[in-house]
């Protein structure tokens, strides 16, 4: 029954005042036998014990003790029902949970947007205070909600439509249930995959300026970078550029005792241990993040939806596709929201349908030389002549005028019968022309 306690609490207000995984011993009350989530027994926190023994193994990850006896050691205890041994989904596989900011409690919460700074003089994220306005030097368009992938912490139903324990929408291939365990699959990857919900949402490209127009993909990178039919030409530069600023956040099991350690820089106490949680990407097309692209193209397949970027296995620097499952298996404390964070940043930047094309051409005016007995249906390279030639490039854009009077209202058009597809309403315009001379 405890596994069904997946809630809609927001990580906006989960902190050590909300004692979910243990009995409440505040206000001088000790050795209590009940609390907000039941008696002080089982996995999580046991107020009746002392020292390190108060924090018990388990909770989100089976047999893994999160935290140690520090000044505020209750901050380590996840926001879970009392006595939960592990966050398991309906298939008894490791389930989805959220990693929250700073030392706010991890657990069954809905991740909030990136609000930037807190209401405190030093700014930053590592506190449990209220949120404040973002500082100017930390502002970036679309930062709070880069894309609809942020909805990945919403609870998802099972195949029958009933609530499913510890299961959220799946917007990445490195789910908690699949990582490090061969044969395990996330329910959201079965049948119609969850990532197709993202097709209902669209985010404009607004950096470095407002590039996007209605029903346009200007400013976005096409996932289908293979050039057809010239498949020997590799033009992955734009996709590599989109991957370049992306970081993969992950928390190693070995840091379970200190990844939420409380430390006041202006006070006393031991400074927290430093360790890497954000990783660069390996962009290799043979062993890294572009390998899944290459495999798809070599099989004669393409990307049909931008949401399919959520099926691409991103590989951290220093690792390969071969070692990826092992790498994730040692980082079980990484919440579902952190695993999907790279895809949250990427989804609004990619597309599968380009709107702007540069056409390179070489045009010749040919003249057949008149002579007796020639076949006018054939061109003779050694005898006929080139009368003129023009070489250049033209950039053209495919666009849709949303104010066109005859444009159907596709919100009311039935898609089950015959209807005019929106493609027929696209028009073309020339953006630039350039002659190559010589």
């Amino acid at each position: 029954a405890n596994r069904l306690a997946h809630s809609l609490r927001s990580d906006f207000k989960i902190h050590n005042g909300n004692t979910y995984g243990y009995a409440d011993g505040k206000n001088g009350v000790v050795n209590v036998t009940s609390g907000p989530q039941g008696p002080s027994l089982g996995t999580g926190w046991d107020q009746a014990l002392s020292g390190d023994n108060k924090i018990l193994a388990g909770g989100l990850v089976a047999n893994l003790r999160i935290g140690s006896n520090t000044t505020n050691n209750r901050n380590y205890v996840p926001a879970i029902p009392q006595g939960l041994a592990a966050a398991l989904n309906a298939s008894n596989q490791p389930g989805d949970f959220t990693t929250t900011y700073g030392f706010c409690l991890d657990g069954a919460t809905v991740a909030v947007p990136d609000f930037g700074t807190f209401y405190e003089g030093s700014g930053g994220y590592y506190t449990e205070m209220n949120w404040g306005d973002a500082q100017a030097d930390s502002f970036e368009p679309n930062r709070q909600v880069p894309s609809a992938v942020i909805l990945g912490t919403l609870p998802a139903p099972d195949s029958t439509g009933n609530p499913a324990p510890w299961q959220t929408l799946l917007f990445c291939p490195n789910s908690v249930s699949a990582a490090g365990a061969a044969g395990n699959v996330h329910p959201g990857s079965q049948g119609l995959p969850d990532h197709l919900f993202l097709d209902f949402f669209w985010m404009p490209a607004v950096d470095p300026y407002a590039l996007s127009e209605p029903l346009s993909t200007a400013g976005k990178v096409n996932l289908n970078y293979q050039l057809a039919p010239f498949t020997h030409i590799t033009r992955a530069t734009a996709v590599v550029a989109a991957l370049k600023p992306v970081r993969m956040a992950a928390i190693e099991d070995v840091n379970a005792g200190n990844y939420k350690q409380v430390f006041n820089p202006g006070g006393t106490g031991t400074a927290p241990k430093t360790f890497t949680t954000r990783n660069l990407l390996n962009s290799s097309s043979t062993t890294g993040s572009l390998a899944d692209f290459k495999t798809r193209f070599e099989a004669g397949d393409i990307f049909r939806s931008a949401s399919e970027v959520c099926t691409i296995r991103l590989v951290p620097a220093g690792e390969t596709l071969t070692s990826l499952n092992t790498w994730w298996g040692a980082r079980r404390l990484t919440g579902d929201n952190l695993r999907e964070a790279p895809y949250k940043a990427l989804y609004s930047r990619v597309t599968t349908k380009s709107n702007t094309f540069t056409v390179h051409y070489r045009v010749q005016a040919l003249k057949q030389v008149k002579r007796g007995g020639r076949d006018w249906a054939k061109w003779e390279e050694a005898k006929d002549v080139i009368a003129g030639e023009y070489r250049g490039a033209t950039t053209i854009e495919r666009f849709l005028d949303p104010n066109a009077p005859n444009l159907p209202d596709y919100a009311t058009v039935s898609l089950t019968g015959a209807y005019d597809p929106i493609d027929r309403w696209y028009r073309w315009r020339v953006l630039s022309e350039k002659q190559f001379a010589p």
Side-chain angles (χ1 to χ4, degrees):
N2 283 335
R3 291 194 291 118
L4 294 172
H6 198 309
S7 72
L8 283 175
R9 292 191 303 271
S10 167
D11 66 3
F12 183 81
K13 285 293 184 181
I14 296 294
H15 55 80
N16 72 339
N18 297 329
T19 51
Y20 289 101
Y22 42 84
D24 193 344
K26 295 186 295 184
N27 300 322
V29 179
V30 297
N31 298 324
V32 292
T33 59
S34 64
Q37 294 292 334
S40 177
L41 300 170
T43 301
W45 166 281
D46 194 333
Q47 180 69 42
L49 300 177
S50 61
D52 272 1
N53 294 326
K54 289 184 178 181
I55 297 180
L56 308 176
L60 293 176
V61 181
N63 302 318
L64 184 64
R65 188 167 101 169
I66 302 177
S68 60
N69 186 34
T70 61
T71 303
N72 293 294
N73 53 9
R74 288 189 301 180
N75 294 299
Y76 292 98
V77 181
I80 57 173
Q82 181 68 34
L84 187 74
L88 303 179
N89 61 24
S91 301
N92 285 322
Q93 297 176 4
D96 301 324
F97 59 87
T98 299
T99 300
T100 58
Y101 288 120
F103 57 81
C104 296
L105 308 182
D106 294 351
T109 66
V110 174
V112 299
D114 184 351
F115 287 119
T117 57
F118 287 87
Y119 186 68
E120 60 171 8
S122 61
Y125 292 93
Y126 295 97
T127 180
E128 62 181 12
M129 302 300 170
N130 293 326
W131 303 86
D133 294 333
Q135 299 174 359
D137 58 359
S138 66
F139 178 79
E140 180 184 353
N142 290 6
R143 187 201 59 195
Q144 287 192 11
V145 183
S147 70
V149 176
I150 195 174
L151 302 177
T153 57
L154 292 178
D158 61 19
S159 58
T160 63
N162 294 317
W166 299 99
Q167 179 184 328
T168 61
L169 295 173
L170 177 65
F171 295 146
C172 77
N174 303 313
S175 64
V176 181
S177 59
N184 284 359
V185 294
H186 190 285
S189 65
Q190 304 302 296
L192 199 65
D194 287 348
H195 68 75
L196 293 180
F197 283 116
L198 299 175
D199 281 347
F200 290 107
F201 303 89
W202 179 83
M203 294 292 290
V206 296
D207 196 10
Y209 61 93
L211 294 170
S212 299
E213 295 183 2
L215 300 173
S216 171
T217 59
K220 298 178 184 289
V221 174
N222 198 329
L223 295 174
N224 296 310
Y225 64 75
Q226 187 182 64
L227 187 62
F230 310 107
T231 55
H232 62 284
I233 299 177
T234 301
R235 54 168 189 171
T237 304
V239 173
V240 172
L243 296 175
K244 182 67 175 179
V246 174
R247 301 291 185 271
M248 290 182 64
I251 303 170
E252 293 186 77
D253 291 1
V254 295
N255 293 315
N258 49 46
Y259 81 106
K260 285 185 177 292
Q261 183 175 343
V262 180
F263 175 68
N264 182 2
T268 60
T270 304
K273 176 184 176 182
T274 59
F275 48 88
T276 300
T277 57
R278 288 161 51 84
N279 304 271
L280 295 169
L281 294 182
N282 172 4
S283 297
S284 169
S285 61
T286 55
T287 64
S289 302
L290 291 186
D292 281 351
F293 285 82
K294 183 179 180 181
T295 300
R296 181 180 292 245
F297 296 148
E298 288 180 345
D301 199 3
I302 61 172
F303 291 93
R304 294 167 177 80
S305 168
S307 68
E308 289 182 282
V309 71
C310 297
T311 67
I312 296 298
R313 293 171 294 175
L314 299 179
V315 182
E319 302 294 330
T320 66
L321 279 180
T322 304
S323 63
L324 187 59
N325 269 3
T326 301
W327 189 84
W328 276 118
R331 290 159 175 81
R332 296 175 296 166
L333 277 173
T334 308
D336 171 64
N337 58 317
L338 291 187
R339 294 170 187 266
E340 294 177 352
Y343 304 92
K344 178 177 67 176
L346 284 172
Y347 179 65
S348 61
R349 301 174 182 173
V350 299
T351 183
T352 58
K353 295 182 178 179
S354 296
N355 282 106
T356 307
F357 306 86
T358 298
V359 181
H360 296 266
Y361 47 83
R362 182 174 185 173
V363 181
Q364 295 176 331
L366 306 179
K367 182 178 180 179
Q368 291 177 300
V369 178
K370 183 178 180 180
R371 59 186 179 278
R374 77 153 300 150
D375 184 355
W376 293 101
K378 294 182 179 180
W379 171 265
E380 297 184 30
E381 189 68 32
K383 298 179 180 179
D384 296 332
V385 297
I386 299 174
E389 180 177 274
Y390 186 94
R391 293 186 301 135
T394 299
T395 300
I396 58 177
E397 182 182 22
R398 187 181 70 131
F399 73 100
L400 188 68
D401 182 4
N403 298 316
N406 297 325
L407 183 67
D409 181 1
Y410 284 94
T412 61
V413 172
S414 173
L415 303 182
T416 58
Y419 67 95
D420 289 333
I422 198 172
D423 289 354
R424 66 164 294 188
W425 298 97
Y426 276 93
R427 300 163 61 190
W428 294 93
R429 58 189 171 201
V430 177
L431 300 181
S432 66
E433 289 185 291
K434 182 178 182 180
Q435 181 182 4
F436 299 158

